[in-house]
């Protein structure tokens, strides 16, 4: 079946974007003779030699007069395999606003790079915006290959540079194609000038891109758009476009925000075509078993798979107004799915520099073409999924209520952490009233350094003395408390934070909490110490300083071997860093003795710390 | 998409579109050959191009009906407006479209198109409002260059008067982005100020399928549900859905006169051949239908939707370039008219 593909192009005239589009349109016969004649006539009047294909897309008088492109232009072309809608966004002014507009519904982003100039700030910005808007496929056209002698080396260089940058972005599918739009290399037909390139030409790639899996067919969501109630007939249908998942007669559904549950009795397509199973993207009308009060803005979903419901939202915002700026405290109308409400900007967390990805936390406003992260409070709760999970239910626009203009595009990250609503409840028992006094002993060091052995021996000795103690072992905790965490720096940070909080609770309850955790980052350990200091609890950082060679030789769990063979990644000491403590409370070296002796050293230190 | 087989094709018989049509319907399972067991269709969770475009248009209709007070649809009997009305009827099934249709009548019509218009609105149970350009000429609000001159440009005054008098908050138009390059830059929801003017430099950003239809009293929103359709899509859809059109769209013999490189119908009261103009009989069809005085026809043998689809696929001229004298005024002809309040 022919599958519609929506493409967003980005780049300036200098990258050869217009030439590329012109070639795609002309070679797929989407440009008609009268259009081409008109362009040729205008080109001659303007003193150009050949037809200036940019004139095809520059539709407004001001654009032609000033030789610039102002707005997103939509182009249509088709090949026997597929139909394409191309949103062409200009590179000159209002760049971000137009690109965000064109990219919001795109399946593919085409990014042009001039082979002579390589990856520029602009290329990085295009790629970032494409990923911010959740475009699943990125095609990087390295253009003007004819001007660099069709050099494979140059192409590889650009590819490597772009890949390094793309690692910081969420790119699901990234393709590189060396082309020359002017000459036609690898645009519609394979180039004979680049035998080293073993991929297909651009058009074939666009024809073959698989987009059916990009939709969310899991989370069933139908935002109710309109209730159809014919006057004469006994019929009540809830019309809307399926925003995720599937619905079929017999399905049990829940309607939010009311929370009532009922059953789908029938699903109809446009004009009353009977639909056996309605799926994402279809405009449908559902009939339900019970007459419950449902209106526009409600969401039909499944009882066990619901969208988030919240009035406090974290979101990325792209500001689009020339005449006003986003400021904390301001209020706007918010439109999300079929739901409309008012919202207040509670906080601008940072402004993002789209060229460097630098976060400016000092920023106090967003102006035209700026992007930032905000916290919003809405008057009515929103029913949403994070944008990265569902582009339909995670997107919103802000409207200035004074001018009625659309001033921002928003992508929901999730529900705000609502710490402001939670008040600390003071206990009635003081620490001194408890039977024992607790503290935390924090062992850090490489895997295989002996942390856990010493910790276990220490626990045994303390418990034997009649004092409660408990070992919090990093590996063991990863089976439960921290089972959802990996080994990225962010996950390691969260891992340490959770263990520090648990240790603090134990110490507060009168237990000696013995933590055995690689905890490779200094900053994370320091914040664990701060957590205890703030609570007025003793904290002892013990660095088990066993050299890497010895740890690797011991390798009690076979992990070093796996890491060296590349079977596991981000292993501390092999391909992830370990930051040794600068001033630990206690330093243990293999030369200080065996496990029993080391445990005794710690025990002595604990006693002096009391 | 999995659709239960229906004897007539896609639409239910009561819907009325399929009557008498033998056109192939792409949505019906092919008839099973004798002695062959028909297999069940497998749900692929994919929509065809036309199903996607249809879903998008239906979404737009519902959005307008739900959020904007007093919408109306422009309806001339031309193929794009017929497709638009067909989609509107499908969007609100089993209820009729919750808005009237308005014809801005230049008074220079093909009689068979007027008959078709009346028949169609009757069948669908839609209310028809006719606003006549002649009334504005008689009242002195607009002036004809000379009797019998094209009246497309004059329509704007009548259109704006109709919108004002009926207090329409939204008006659907059948314009497509592939028609013309100023239209390629227009939004689906196109804001017009109290004078009906379009400001191309200051359009509202339009993202995802979130449409901002907010406006003050006196202002209005022009809505284009066919924005992303091409001429070929329209014809393929007409064929697949078995949509009835005025007969003018299919090849027939008639007297024509050649003027400014176009063929105009010479057998109506509105066209008087000038001395020296050649009048001859030809087999022709119209690619667009508007004011008789400036709508040209093309020589063609395409006498069915299927034949037109084939012809359009191979066409090397745009429909407006081939047959619309009013668009040839200047490079920015359409943009200028839109700024004045035209569709």
């Amino acid at each position: 079946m022919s599958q519609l593909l929506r493409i967003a192009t980005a780049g300036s005239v200098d990258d050869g974007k217009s030439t590329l589009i012109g070639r795609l349109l002309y070679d797929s016969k989407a440009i008609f003779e009268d259009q081409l004649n008109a362009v040729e006539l205008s080109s001659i009047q303007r003193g150009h030699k050949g037809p200036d294909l940019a004139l095809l897309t520059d539709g407004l008088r001001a654009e032609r007069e000033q030789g610039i492109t102002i707005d997103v232009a939509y182009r249509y072309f088709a090949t026997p395999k597929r139909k394409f809608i191309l949103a062409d966004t200009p590179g000159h002014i209002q760049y971000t606003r137009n690109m965000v507009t064109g990219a919001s519904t795109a399946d593919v982003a085409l990014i042009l790079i001039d082979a002579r100039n390589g990856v520029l700030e602009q290329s990085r910005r295009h790629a970032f915006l494409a990923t911010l808007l959740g475009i699943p496929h990125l095609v990087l056209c390295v253009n003007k290959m004819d001007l660099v002698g069709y050099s494979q080396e140059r192409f590889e260089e650009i590819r490597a540079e772009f890949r390094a940058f793309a690692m910081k972005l969420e790119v699901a599918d990234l393709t590189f194609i060396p082309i020359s739009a002017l000459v036609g290399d690898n645009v519609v037909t394979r180039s004979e000038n680049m035998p080293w390139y073993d991929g297909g030409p651009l058009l074939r790639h666009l024809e073959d891109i698989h987009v059916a899996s990009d939709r969310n067919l899991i989370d069933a969501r139908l935002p109710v758009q309109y209730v159809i109630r014919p006057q004469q007939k006994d019929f009540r249908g809830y019309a809307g476009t399926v925003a995720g998942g599937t619905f079929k007669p017999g399905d049990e559904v829940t309607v939010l925000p009311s929370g009532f549950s009922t059953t789908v009795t029938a699903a109809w397509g446009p004009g009353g075509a009977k639909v056996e199973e309605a799926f994402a993207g279809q405009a449908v009308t559902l009939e339900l078993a019970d007459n419950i009060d449902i209106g526009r803005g409600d969401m039909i979903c499944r009882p066990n798979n619901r969208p988030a419901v919240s009035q406090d939202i974290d979101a990325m915002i792209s500001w689009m107004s020339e005449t006003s700026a986003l400021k904390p405290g301001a209020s706007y109308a918010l439109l999300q799915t079929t739901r409309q409400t008012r919202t207040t900007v509670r906080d601008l967390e940072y402004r993002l520099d789209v060229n460097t990805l630098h976060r400016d936390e000092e920023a106090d406003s967003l102006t035209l073409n700026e992007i930032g992260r905000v916290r919003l409070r809405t008057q009515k709760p929103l029913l949403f999924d994070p944008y990265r999970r569902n582009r339909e239910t995670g997107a919103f626009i802000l409207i200035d209520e004074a001018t009625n203009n659309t001033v921002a595009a928003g992508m929901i990250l999730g529900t705000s952490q609502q710490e402001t609503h939670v008040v600390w409840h003071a206990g009635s028992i003081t620490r001194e009233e408890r039977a024992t006094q607790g503290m935390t002993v924090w062992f850090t060091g490489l895997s295989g350094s002996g942390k856990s052995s010493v910790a276990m021996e220490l626990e045994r000795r303390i418990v034997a003395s009649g004092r409660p103690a408990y070992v919090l072992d990093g590996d063991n905790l990863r089976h439960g408390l921290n089972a959802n965490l990996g080994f990225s720096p962010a996950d390691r940070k969260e891992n340490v934070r959770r263990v520090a909080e648990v240790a603090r609770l134990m110490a507060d309850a009168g237990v000696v909490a013995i933590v055995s955790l690689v905890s490779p980052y200094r900053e994370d350990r320091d914040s664990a110490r701060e957590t205890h200091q703030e609570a007025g609890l003793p904290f002892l950082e013990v660095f088990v300083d066993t050299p890497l060679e010895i740890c690797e030789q011991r390798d009690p769990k076979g992990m070093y071997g796996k890491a060296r063979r590349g079977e596991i990644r981000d292993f501390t000491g092999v391909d992830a860093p370990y930051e040794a403590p600068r001033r630990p409370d206690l330093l243990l070296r293999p030369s200080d003795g065996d496990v029993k002796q080391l445990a005794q050293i710690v025990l002595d230190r604990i006693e002096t710390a009391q | 998409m999995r659709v239960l087989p229906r004897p007539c094709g896609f639409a239910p018989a009561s819907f009325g579109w399929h009557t008498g049509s033998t056109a192939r319907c792409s949505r019906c399972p092919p008839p099973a050959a004798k002695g062959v067991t028909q297999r069940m269709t497998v749900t692929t969770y994919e929509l065809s191009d036309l199903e996607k475009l249809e879903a998008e248009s239906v979404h737009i209709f519902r959005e307008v009906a739900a959020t904007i007070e007093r919408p109306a649809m422009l309806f001339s009997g031309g193929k794009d407006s017929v497709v638009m009305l067909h989609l509107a009827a499908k969007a609100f099934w089993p209820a009729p479209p919750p808005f009237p249709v308005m014809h801005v009548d230049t008074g220079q019509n093909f009689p068979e198109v007027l008959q078709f218009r009346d028949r169609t609105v009757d069948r669908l149970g839609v209310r028809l409002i006719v606003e006549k350009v002649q009334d504005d000429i008689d009242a002195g609000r607009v002036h004809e260059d000379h009797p019998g001159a094209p009246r497309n440009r004059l329509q704007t005054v009548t259109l704006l008067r109709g919108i004002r008098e009926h207090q329409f908050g939204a008006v659907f138009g059948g314009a497509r982005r592939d028609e013309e390059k100023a239209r390629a830059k227009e939004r689906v929801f196109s804001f017009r100020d109290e004078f009906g003017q379009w400001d191309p430099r200051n359009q509202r950003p339009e993202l995802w399928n979130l449409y901002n239809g907010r406006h003050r009293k006196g202002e209005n929103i022009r809505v284009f549900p066919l924005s992303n359709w091409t001429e070929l899509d329209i014809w393929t859809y007409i064929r697949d859905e078995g949509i009835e059109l005025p007969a003018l769209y299919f090849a027939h013999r008639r007297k024509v006169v050649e003027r400014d490189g176009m063929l105009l119908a010479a057998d109506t009261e509105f066209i008087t051949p000038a001395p020296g103009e050649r009048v001859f009989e030809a087999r022709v069809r119209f690619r667009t239908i508007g004011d008789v005085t400036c709508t040209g026809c093309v020589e063609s043998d395409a006498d069915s939707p299927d034949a037109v689809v084939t012809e359009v696929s191979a066409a090397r001229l745009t429909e407006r370039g081939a047959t619309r004298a009013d668009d040839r005024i200047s490079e920015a002809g359409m943009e200028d008219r839109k700024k004045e309040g035209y569709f």
Side-chain angles (χ1 to χ4, degrees), chain B residues 214-331:
Chain B
R214 289 167 73 113
H215 61 280
R216 295 192 194 91
K217 199 168 156 47
E219 301 166 339
N220 68 83
I221 306 287
R222 305 287 172 86
V223 182
F224 302 104
L226 303 181
S227 285
N228 286 324
W229 295 59
T230 63
E231 187 189 11
L232 185 59
D233 294 328
I234 293 285
W235 275 108
T236 312
Y237 191 69
I238 287 168
R239 180 191 69 187
D240 291 357
E241 295 271 300
I243 298 173
E244 195 194 336
L245 287 186
L248 292 173
Y249 278 110
F250 304 103
H252 57 285
R253 294 199 75 79
R254 77 159 60 216
K255 271 198 178 133
V256 293
V257 56
E258 196 172 339
R259 185 177 289 174
D260 301 332
M262 285 192 319
L263 298 180
L264 298 177
D267 49 2
T268 73
E269 53 178 307
F270 308 107
I271 303 261
T272 318
E277 278 184 334
R278 193 166 67 96
V279 177
F280 58 100
E281 206 183 76
R283 190 164 161 80
V284 296
R285 69 174 198 87
F286 289 81
R287 276 178 83 180
T288 66
I289 289 180
D291 188 291
V292 173
T293 59
C294 62
T295 305
C297 49
V298 291
E299 289 193 70
S300 166
D301 285 323
D303 56 359
S304 68
D306 209 33
V308 174
V309 167
T310 311
E311 189 186 277
V312 171
S313 313
R316 297 305 299 140
L317 288 180
T318 63
E319 56 185 14
R320 285 192 167 264
T323 63
R324 291 302 272 265
D326 50 328
D327 287 339
R328 295 185 169 180
I329 306 161
S330 78
E331 227 177 6

Side-chain angles (χ1 to χ4, degrees), chain A residues 46 53 57 75 94 117 119 121 129 135 145 188 193 220 272-273 299-300 333 340 342 344 370 392 408 413 482 608:
Chain A
R46 285 176 173 73
L53 290 170
T57 46
R75 295 277 140 199
Q94 297 183 350
N117 302 332
V119 182
E121 195 172 279
L129 291 174
I135 300 181
M145 286 300 292
V188 174
N193 295 315
M299 176 92 81
I300 301 176
Q340 189 163 343
R342 295 186 78 199
T344 304
E370 291 184 334
E392 312 290 326
L413 297 164
N482 296 331
T608 59

Side-chain angles (χ1 to χ4, degrees), chain A residues 227-296:
Chain A
V227 181
I228 297 176
R229 294 186 63 190
Q231 285 175 334
Q232 277 90 28
K233 297 188 185 88
D234 179 27
F235 180 95
R236 183 194 282 257
Y238 303 99
T241 303
V242 181
T246 64
F247 292 93
K248 60 179 186 298
D251 280 350
E252 195 189 351
V253 290
T254 294
V255 182
L256 294 178
S258 70
F260 287 119
S261 287
T262 180
T263 310
V264 177
T265 53
W268 307 98
K274 194 158 190 141
V275 175
E276 283 194 0
E277 190 171 13
F279 55 88
Q282 275 184 307
V284 297
T285 303
L286 296 187
E287 284 184 274
L288 304 176
D290 301 287
N291 253 337
I292 47 184
D293 184 25
I294 302 175
R296 177 180 166 86

Side-chain angles (χ1 to χ4, degrees), chain A residues 123-145:
Chain A
S123 331
R124 286 194 286 268
R125 183 171 60 192
H126 297 167
F128 167 71
L129 291 174
T131 54
L132 179 72
L133 269 292
I135 300 181
H137 308 275
L138 230 60
V139 180
L140 218 79
C141 296
V142 181
N143 193 21
K144 306 194 182 178
M145 286 300 292

